[in-house]
């Protein structure tokens, strides 16, 4: 009874918006477990610190990154790839926390992708001014699984284009707790994040954290 009541209150504060065929924006979906997520995030960053990776072209990324799960996404002068070992520590990436996994699986399910089982979670940290240029997520072995992308902290403008780099991206304001799931016909859509505006988030301060869940292998 009480649980049902909480469920319906939580559901009322959420909304679900199809932004393209195969892509869904779940507003506020992560909010009910924000405390667990943030506590787990602190643990991860202690074991595998945020770092500014270098692109194959030799530029340091403005977004600081770390990973958890069996595989982590890395870039250096040699290229982009997934690796089971953190090159900074020489150790495996921290395990994917059960709260992270459950959230990603539930979000995928809600978006129409039942059975999603992520083996990689890239953790992106944006400080004011940091951005992510338009790109496709295409370092995964196959594209059957969707991408599940969780936003925490400061709001950001998410750019969601199409299959061609030249497709004009649409802009979506993503807030703390929002999740975007894209797969199927949109799995290889170009996407990015506009430079982060300065601000102060009540829990996370002057930053935005993004968790990107993927099936890498
Ligand atoms: C990414 O595409 O890896 C990040 C997307 C985001 O930060 O919302
Ligand atoms: Fe991406």
């Amino acid at each position: 009874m009480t649980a049902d009541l909480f469920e319906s209150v939580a559901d009322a504060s959420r909304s679900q918006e199809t932004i393209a065929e195969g892509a869904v924006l779940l507003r506020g979906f992560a909010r009910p477990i924000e405390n667990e997520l943030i506590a787990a995030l602190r643990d991860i960053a202690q074991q595998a610190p945020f770092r500014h990776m270098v692109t194959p072209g030799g530029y340091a990324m403005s977004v600081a990154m770390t990973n958890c799960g069996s595989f982590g996404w890395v870039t250096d002068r040699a290229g982009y790839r997934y690796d089971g070992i953190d090159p900074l520590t020489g150790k495996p990436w921290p395990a994917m926390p059960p709260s992270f996994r459950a959230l990603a699986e539930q979000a995928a399910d809600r978006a129409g992708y039942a059975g999603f089982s992520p083996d990689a979670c890239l953790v992106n940290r944006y400080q004011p001014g940091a951005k992510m240029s338009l790109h496709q997520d295409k370092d995964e072995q196959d594209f059957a699984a969707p991408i599940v992308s969780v936003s925490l902290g400061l709001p950001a403008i998410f750019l969601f284009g199409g299959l061609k780099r030249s497709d004009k991206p649409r802009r979506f304001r993503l807030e703390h707790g929002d999740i975007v799931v894209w797969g199927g016909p949109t799995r290889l859509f170009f996407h990015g994040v506009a430079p982060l505006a300065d601000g102060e988030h009540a829990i996370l301060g002057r930053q935005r954290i993004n968790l990107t869940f993927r099936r890498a292998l």
Side-chain angles (χ1 to χ4, degrees):
M1 176 68 179
T2 317
D4 285 352
L5 180 63
F6 280 123
E7 266 307 309
S8 58
V9 170
D11 279 347
S13 69
R14 298 179 197 165
S15 80
Q16 179 168 337
E17 184 186 339
T18 297
I19 60 173
E21 193 197 328
V24 177
L25 168 49
L26 303 166
R27 293 202 193 270
F29 197 87
R31 290 196 70 141
I33 60 156
E34 62 188 6
N35 294 331
E36 287 101 303
L37 296 177
I38 290 164
L41 205 51
R42 296 218 162 94
D43 269 7
I44 291 165
Q46 245 165 37
Q47 297 171 61
F50 283 104
R51 79 293 303 265
H52 292 274
M53 296 186 200
V54 174
T55 64
Y59 295 98
M61 299 186 76
S62 62
V63 176
M65 297 175 171
T66 186
N67 289 278
C68 65
S70 300
F71 302 102
W73 185 85
V74 293
T75 173
D76 58 20
R77 293 304 300 241
Y80 306 131
R81 64 191 174 279
Y82 282 94
D83 202 319
I85 300 293
D86 177 355
L88 188 65
T89 64
K91 295 190 288 202
W93 298 102
M96 191 180 295
S99 58
F100 278 34
R101 171 176 297 283
L103 179 69
E105 292 178 358
Q106 283 167 28
D109 192 81
R110 182 67 68 94
Y113 297 99
F116 179 52
S117 177
D119 58 9
C121 174
L122 172 64
V123 184
N124 292 313
R125 185 188 69 196
Y126 297 74
Q127 286 170 322
K131 67 179 171 73
M132 181 84 69
S133 304
L134 279 183
H135 65 278
Q136 294 169 295
D137 287 8
K138 58 177 186 186
D139 301 317
E140 299 70 37
Q141 214 139 71
D142 82 73
F143 304 131
I147 304 289
V148 174
S149 176
V150 180
S151 292
L152 297 170
L154 286 178
I157 302 296
F158 181 62
L159 309 169
F160 197 58
L163 284 173
K164 297 194 301 267
R165 185 178 288 280
S166 59
D167 291 333
K168 188 176 188 298
R170 286 183 295 149
R171 300 164 69 88
F172 297 92
R173 182 183 155 95
L174 299 183
E175 293 187 9
H176 178 75
D178 291 352
I179 301 187
V180 185
V181 180
W182 67 95
T186 60
R187 176 60 181 74
L188 290 173
F189 272 24
F190 279 88
H191 59 278
V193 176
L196 192 78
D198 202 354
E200 181 79 27
H201 184 264
I203 310 172
L204 282 168
R206 275 182 93 202
Q207 59 179 343
R208 169 178 185 258
I209 300 286
N210 167 261
L211 312 175
T212 298
F213 294 90
R214 306 189 184 107
R215 184 79 200 175
L217 257 69

